[in-house]
Amino acid sequence: MLSGVRTQPLQSGRGPLSPGSRAGIGAALALLALVSAVELADGRPVHYLALMAAAPLLAAALASWRVVLGLGVLATGTGVAFALAEGTTSLVTAVNVAGIALAAAIAAGVAAVRQRQSERIAELSRLASVAQQAVLRPLGPQVGTLAVAARYISSTATAEIGGDLYEVMDTPYGVRMIIGDVRGKGLDAVRLASIVLGSYRHVAYERADLRAVVTDLDRAVARNVGDEDFVTAALVEERGGTLTIVNCGHPPPLLLRRGAVIPLEPPAPAPPLGFMPVVRPRVERLEPGDRLLLFTDGLGEARRDGEFFPTADRAWRLLGHGTVADGLASLETALVEWVHGRLDDDIALVLIEYTGPSSGVTAAVPSWEVGATES
């Protein structure tokens, strides 16, 4: 996944110091040393003592509240030492020392609030990871006769999951997979994605015909969305080397074969799930070594300076080498570089490779023919 810069939980004062705390301590101590050196060089009376109040405030931006409080005590103690060394403490010096102590208390409070917020964000990130594993289960590396890899690239550094979805399963009707994209973002999109995946994981084992699977998913979506909500989806089945695809308003998968990139457009357009799509299957015969890229529209919309990422032109060079996981890693790297790390939408990617027929496989029968035979 594209994770960006992850928020690291700050240490609560026990165990090794976090990098932020070490940086805060270093900056604050350097400031205290600098002000002390200037005061010593300037002689009495003291003139720059108030600058020590900046030390705990500086540390508050990075360090834990215990560290900030300790630095505040150190700064206040240093100020008291300079005040006592002055001999007759003036009112200005006393006010400066009191200001250092007050700044230390404020800085410790600010650090405590920031630390609690950071710990809450870290906990939410952990829960998001758990939710991601529950909704989007890890795939591969082998499902049936297919080598499989998947990646979810989030457009937001603080979020790891949205409304894009995918699944690959080995069913009695062959290896079946789905990729989809829920309209909208946020928790409602995640909820609908989980509903679609939950329904698919059930009906993919029950329905022989992919068109019946689409009908069941459409009902599940219609029961749980508003009038303007929908889910685009592409459903794919591999059975004995025969590939069957039905498409509900989703970007067509890309077939990579011997250096060529072939968009597998549907025979006829169909609306997304939620609008009662009537789909027509597209059937392709696979060859060993063929790869198929399933993706959501975030990939097609990725651009820089108004120029879209050339997926079809670069697909073979990026995805045709190494393992399928290597291919997706190359695609993600090239994509992030293209957009300079700034994506407008989440992207789900699934790359499969047909490794050839397994022993004991009977004649290939697409799911739409199985459904026609049973009807």
Side-chain angles (χ1 to χ4, degrees):
M1 282 191 187
L2 176 63
S3 57
V5 179
R6 296 292 187 218
T7 303
Q8 299 294 332
L10 298 176
Q11 302 292 332
S12 61
R14 298 178 178 85
L17 292 174
S18 68
S21 291
R22 289 196 293 269
I25 291 173
L29 291 178
L31 179 60
L32 287 176
L34 178 61
V35 175
S36 298
V38 171
E39 284 287 9
L40 290 173
D42 187 58
R44 290 178 287 181
V46 293
H47 295 100
Y48 309 104
L49 205 59
L51 293 176
M52 291 186 177
L57 294 173
L58 179 62
L62 299 170
S64 67
W65 71 267
R66 289 184 174 88
V67 171
V68 173
L69 185 59
L71 288 169
V73 170
L74 177 62
T76 303
T78 305
V80 170
F82 274 105
L84 294 176
E86 192 177 28
T88 302
T89 303
S90 65
L91 178 61
V92 173
T93 301
V95 170
N96 286 341
V97 173
I100 296 173
L102 179 61
I106 294 174
V110 170
V113 172
R114 178 189 51 76
Q115 185 173 339
R116 284 196 297 269
Q117 291 176 340
S118 297
E119 290 171 350
R120 179 174 175 79
I121 291 173
E123 178 66 12
L124 290 175
S125 297
R126 187 187 69 82
L127 292 175
S129 297
V130 173
Q132 180 186 26
Q133 294 174 6
V135 176
L136 297 180
R137 299 183 295 193
L139 298 182
Q142 189 80 21
V143 180
T145 58
L146 303 177
V148 180
R151 296 179 87 88
Y152 193 103
I153 307 175
S154 176
S155 61
T156 306
T158 55
E160 297 188 12
I161 186 171
D164 293 14
L165 58 98
Y166 55 76
E167 181 61 284
V168 180
M169 301 183 301
D170 193 2
T171 75
Y173 309 104
V175 177
R176 285 181 165 179
M177 61 205 81
I178 184 175
I179 191 161
D181 190 357
V182 177
R183 178 183 180 272
K185 296 182 179 180
L187 293 177
D188 287 340
V190 176
R191 179 185 63 84
L192 184 53
S194 66
I195 290 172
V196 173
L197 284 174
S199 299
Y200 178 76
R201 287 163 181 159
H202 173 70
V203 299
Y205 284 95
E206 302 296 327
R207 303 297 190 187
D209 191 337
L210 280 182
R211 292 171 295 186
V213 175
V214 169
T215 300
D216 287 344
L217 293 181
D218 179 70
R219 291 171 182 162
V221 171
R223 286 193 298 264
N224 292 277
V225 300
D227 294 337
E228 297 181 358
D229 295 326
F230 57 83
V231 181
T232 67
L235 285 72
V236 181
E237 175 189 286
E238 183 277 322
R239 184 180 176 91
T242 297
L243 195 69
T244 305
I245 305 169
V246 294
N247 196 314
C248 305
H250 198 77
L254 298 180
L255 176 63
L256 286 70
R257 173 179 293 168
R258 298 193 300 271
V261 179
I262 307 167
L264 299 183
E265 300 281 355
L273 299 173
F275 291 113
M276 297 183 291
V278 178
V279 295
R280 291 179 56 192
R282 172 164 181 165
V283 180
E284 296 285 335
R285 186 67 184 174
L286 291 175
E287 301 175 3
D290 282 354
R291 291 189 173 186
L292 187 72
L293 176 66
L294 311 175
F295 58 94
T296 54
D297 59 6
L299 179 61
E301 295 172 358
R303 59 185 180 270
R304 68 178 182 195
D305 301 327
E307 185 177 0
F308 290 96
F309 181 73
T311 303
D313 293 339
R314 302 180 64 179
W316 177 261
R317 189 171 63 210
L318 294 171
L319 300 171
H321 69 91
T323 66
V324 286
D326 294 334
L328 286 188
S330 297
L331 176 59
E332 179 179 346
T333 300
L335 179 65
V336 172
E337 180 181 358
W338 179 271
V339 299
H340 304 302
R342 302 178 64 180
L343 290 168
D344 296 327
D345 195 7
D346 293 355
I347 301 172
L349 302 170
V350 178
L351 183 63
I352 64 172
E353 179 179 352
Y354 177 61
T355 56
S358 58
S359 59
V361 171
T362 57
V365 181
S367 67
W368 62 274
E369 290 187 359
V370 173
T373 301
E374 294 181 352
S375 59

